């Protein structure tokens, strides 16, 4: 069951339908979202639509990223200092940053070090009073290893916070620009705990971001108002509405009729239609992502490497990319995107070879084939713009070597929850970079520790692979890190826990009179978006 279904329906203002009439007002912008959020607290979420609806609208993090160079830049932290041994990070915090208010709470102070410490310890400390609120599992925090990496986080004074690490970590700074690292209000949390409603911190959020949540109608609409005290300048659009529209065709229809002014992830087959409409603009952004089919290696016969290799050989990846992506992606062969540090351009790939697949299945004692389920994502992503079509092509390819795949799909929240628990046989999934660091792929998606948190959908643990990526985290020299990731990718190729399918570009479409909205490595930025 989707956790989004359990959120409170927020109604701070009178509900109005998201229609073309609303869109006519220059102070209102409507975004057609793909799905309902899992939560309004990004610490306990993992899906892209949730991060767009929460962390990228309501909150800020200690750092941002330069969208061109993928280097950290100041946000709630104005500067930082790293000790010579790489184990101590001291952040200087921005002064004068206001938290917004809601009907339950009005802040009495500005953002300070207490909020950073609260936001970290809620995720790290199992005994923290908020750790079990909303049944959060803090997947990202654990996936990147911060639960064991951070020995101590302490307030030096109101505007200085210090982290002491158990060991150096090359990705640590980048982690604090990720969605899960959004800073929540400690004062609000204290107030709600005293009232006996701690869950309000996650369902009636208080943040420092460009917008304030006004209303949430599950599976229908989210309404935001501009934060009048936003520290990073005036927010030009006073009202932001998310019209929750899972169907890709419906999203485009709403864009065409001006019921939405921005849509994410249009399907490649829609590109020509968008480009021919003078009222619409198609935008393309280079991305760091990978789409893949994960084998649940804990289930038979997928625990046999010969079977996994066979299904790789049985899959015509070029045909899938050509038919589904229509020039908007390249064939993938690695868990790392091609333009990322450590990608091995000389890594071997499995060519399409059904006869070799049959031979491997025979060697595995499965000459007559077997039956299996194939989970198909219910949402579109740059790395998988049409999961149903990809699943059907995989099904057809595998049937030629005697493997019968039953395609199943679920609502997005249920899909994610089931996959984290290992309920699937095989599942289509993918990843978009959160921080530009290879650890965000190599360890988060395939590390042994990521099985328990659920981001390792293959549930694959290879100690040699894991040792290499853990060593890479400790290494600051880029050339040495690249060498280690190269060795890890060779093991990935040999053990075949996935079928790496595609590296896609990110596309979105807007009405032509929209300016200031941008999409980058760190997600969607609505803070400067407006209608001209």
């Amino acid at each position: 069951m989707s956790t989004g279904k359990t959120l409170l329906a927020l109604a701070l203002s009178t509900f109005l339908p998201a229609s073309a009439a609303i869109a006519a007002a220059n102070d209102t912008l409507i975004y057609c979202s793909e799905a309902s959020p899992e939560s309004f607290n990004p610490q306990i979420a993992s899906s892209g639509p949730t991060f767009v609806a929460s962390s990228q609208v309501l909150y800020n993090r200690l750092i941002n990223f330069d969208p061109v160079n993928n280097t950290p830049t100041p946000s709630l932290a104005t500067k930082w200092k790293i000790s010579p041994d790489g184990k101590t990070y001291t952040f200087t915090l921005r002064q004068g940053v206001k938290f917004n208010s809601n009907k339950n709470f009005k802040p009495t102070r500005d953002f300070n070090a207490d909020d950073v410490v609260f936001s970290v310890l809620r995720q790290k400390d199992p005994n923290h009073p908020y750790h079990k609120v909303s049944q959060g599992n803090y997947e990202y925090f654990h996936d990147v290893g911060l639960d064991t990496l951070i020995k101590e986080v302490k307030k030096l004074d109101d505007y200085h916070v210090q982290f002491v690490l158990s060991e150096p970590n090359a990705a640590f700074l980048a982690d604090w620009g990720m969605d899960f690292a959004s800073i929540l209000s400690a004062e609000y949390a204290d107030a709600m705990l005293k009232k006996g409603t701690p869950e309000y911190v996650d369902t009636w959020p208080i943040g420092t971001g460009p917008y304030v949540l006004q209303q949430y109608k599950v599976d229908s609409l989210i309404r935001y108002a501009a934060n009048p005290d936003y520290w990073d300048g005036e927010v030009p659009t006073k009202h932001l509405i998310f019209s929750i529209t899972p169907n890709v065709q419906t999203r485009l229809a709403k864009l065409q009729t001006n019921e939405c002014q921005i849509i994410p992830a249009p399907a490649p087959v829609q590109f020509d239609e968008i480009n021919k409409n003078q009222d619409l603009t198609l935008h393309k952004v280079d991305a760091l992502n990978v789409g893949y089919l994960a084998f649940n290696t804990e289930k038979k016969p997928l625990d046999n490497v010969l079977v996994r290799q066979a299904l790789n050989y049985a899959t015509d990846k070029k045909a899938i990319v050509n038919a589904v992506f229509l020039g908007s992606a390249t064939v993938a062969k690695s868990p790392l995107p091609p333009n990322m540090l450590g990608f091995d351009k000389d890594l071997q790939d499995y060519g399409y070879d059904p006869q070799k697949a049959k031979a491997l299945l025979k060697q595995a004692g499965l000459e007559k084939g077997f039956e299996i389920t194939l989970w198909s994502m219910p949402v579109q992503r740059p790395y998988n713009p049409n999961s149903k079509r990809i699943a059907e092509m995989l099904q057809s390819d595998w049937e030629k070597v005697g493997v019968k795949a039953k395609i199943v799909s679920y609502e997005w929240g249920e899909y994610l929850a089931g996959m984290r628990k290992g309920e699937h046989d095989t599942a289509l999934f993918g990843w978009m970079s959160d921080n530009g660091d290879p650890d965000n792929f190599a360890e988060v998606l395939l590390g042994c520790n990521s099985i328990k948190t659920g981001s390792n959908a293959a549930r694959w643990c290879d100690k040699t692979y894991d040792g290499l990526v853990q060593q890479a985290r400790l290494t600051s020299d880029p050339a040495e890190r690249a060498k280690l990731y190269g060795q890890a990718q060779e093991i990935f190729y040999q053990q075949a826990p996935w079928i790496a399918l595609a590296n896609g570009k990110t596309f979105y479409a807007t009405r032509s009179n929209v300016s200031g909205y941008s999409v980058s490595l760190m997600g969607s930025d609505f803070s400067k978006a407006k209608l001209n």
Side-chain angles (χ1 to χ4, degrees), residues 207-511:
T208 61
Y211 283 92
V212 178
L213 183 65
Q214 285 193 310
Q215 177 190 35
Y216 174 43
K217 188 174 178 65
V218 179
D219 291 340
S220 176
L221 172 144
I222 311 171
R223 186 184 296 274
Y224 307 89
N227 181 354
D229 300 314
Y230 188 44
W231 62 270
D232 199 24
E234 182 181 0
V235 180
T237 299
K238 301 308 176 188
H239 303 283
L240 176 64
I241 295 171
F242 278 32
S243 177
I244 299 167
T245 312
N247 185 275
V248 67
Q249 297 293 345
T250 306
R251 286 202 299 274
L252 178 58
K254 287 185 174 183
L255 186 71
Q256 291 168 327
T257 58
N258 202 28
E259 292 178 70
C260 296
Q261 290 79 53
I262 304 171
I263 62 170
V269 295
Q270 299 174 328
F271 291 173
D272 282 346
E273 187 176 358
I274 294 170
N275 284 325
K276 289 175 181 177
N277 188 329
Q278 63 180 7
D279 293 325
L280 308 181
T281 302
L282 181 67
H283 306 263
K284 177 175 71 174
V285 181
D286 287 332
L288 296 172
N289 65 42
V290 61
Y292 58 91
L293 184 284
F295 299 119
N296 187 338
T297 61
E298 293 181 344
K299 290 190 174 183
K300 293 184 179 297
L302 299 171
D303 59 339
N304 188 331
V305 66
L306 297 176
V307 174
R308 302 196 299 266
Q309 291 174 343
L311 291 177
N312 265 277
Y313 280 119
T315 301
D316 190 347
K317 297 200 294 187
K318 288 184 179 178
I320 290 173
V321 170
N322 288 339
V324 176
F325 290 84
L326 304 177
S328 66
T330 55
V331 173
K333 62 179 180 179
S334 165
L336 301 184
N339 48 344
M340 176 168 272
L341 172 71
F343 174 78
D344 182 0
K345 62 182 178 59
D346 298 320
L347 184 69
Q348 297 181 75
D349 196 10
Y350 291 89
Y352 180 51
D353 192 339
Q355 293 307 311
K356 194 161 188 176
K358 290 180 180 179
L360 287 166
L361 289 174
K362 182 177 181 179
Q363 188 179 342
L366 293 165
E367 185 175 5
K368 294 183 179 180
F370 56 92
E371 296 183 357
I372 200 167
T373 59
L374 197 172
W375 285 28
S376 173
M377 295 164 53
V379 296
Q380 298 81 34
R381 289 289 182 274
Y383 54 72
N384 190 332
N386 189 336
S387 187
K388 182 174 184 291
R389 179 65 176 136
I390 291 178
E392 290 169 347
M393 294 184 75
L394 287 167
Q395 182 187 54
S396 176
D397 284 346
W398 293 356
E399 189 172 13
K400 293 171 187 174
V401 299
V403 176
K404 295 183 178 180
K406 178 184 178 181
I407 299 172
V408 296
S409 189
Y410 304 94
E411 182 271 331
W412 187 223
E414 190 176 356
Y415 189 97
L416 292 170
M419 197 173 62
R420 291 188 198 112
K421 295 174 185 175
E423 295 173 356
H424 59 293
D425 292 337
T426 68
L428 286 166
F429 200 52
W431 201 254
M432 300 182 68
S433 177
D434 297 297
N435 62 11
D437 193 274
D439 182 70
N440 188 230
F441 286 78
E443 202 282 331
V444 169
L445 301 183
L446 291 163
C448 296
N449 289 333
S450 297
I451 295 175
K452 64 182 178 182
T453 58
S455 62
N456 183 342
R459 306 185 75 79
W460 174 71
C461 176
D462 183 283
K463 296 298 185 183
T464 305
Y465 172 94
D466 202 61
L468 288 164
V469 298
Q470 296 301 330
Q471 188 179 348
R473 298 174 80 176
L474 301 176
T475 305
S476 59
D477 179 66
E480 184 60 28
R481 291 190 85 200
K483 182 179 178 181
L484 292 166
Y485 286 123
Q487 295 171 22
Q489 285 164 87
E490 181 59 34
I491 296 171
F492 167 87
Y493 165 73
Q494 295 291 345
Q495 292 296 310
W498 295 356
I499 299 173
L501 290 169
N503 303 115
K505 293 185 180 297
T506 295
F507 289 84
Y508 64 96
T510 66
R511 299 288 297 182

Side-chain angles (χ1 to χ4, degrees), residues 28-48:
T28 301
L29 190 66
I30 302 176
Y31 173 85
C32 271
S33 177
E34 303 151 281
S36 292
E38 300 167 86
S39 168
F40 284 106
N41 179 358
Q43 297 174 334
I44 57 176
S46 63
S47 71

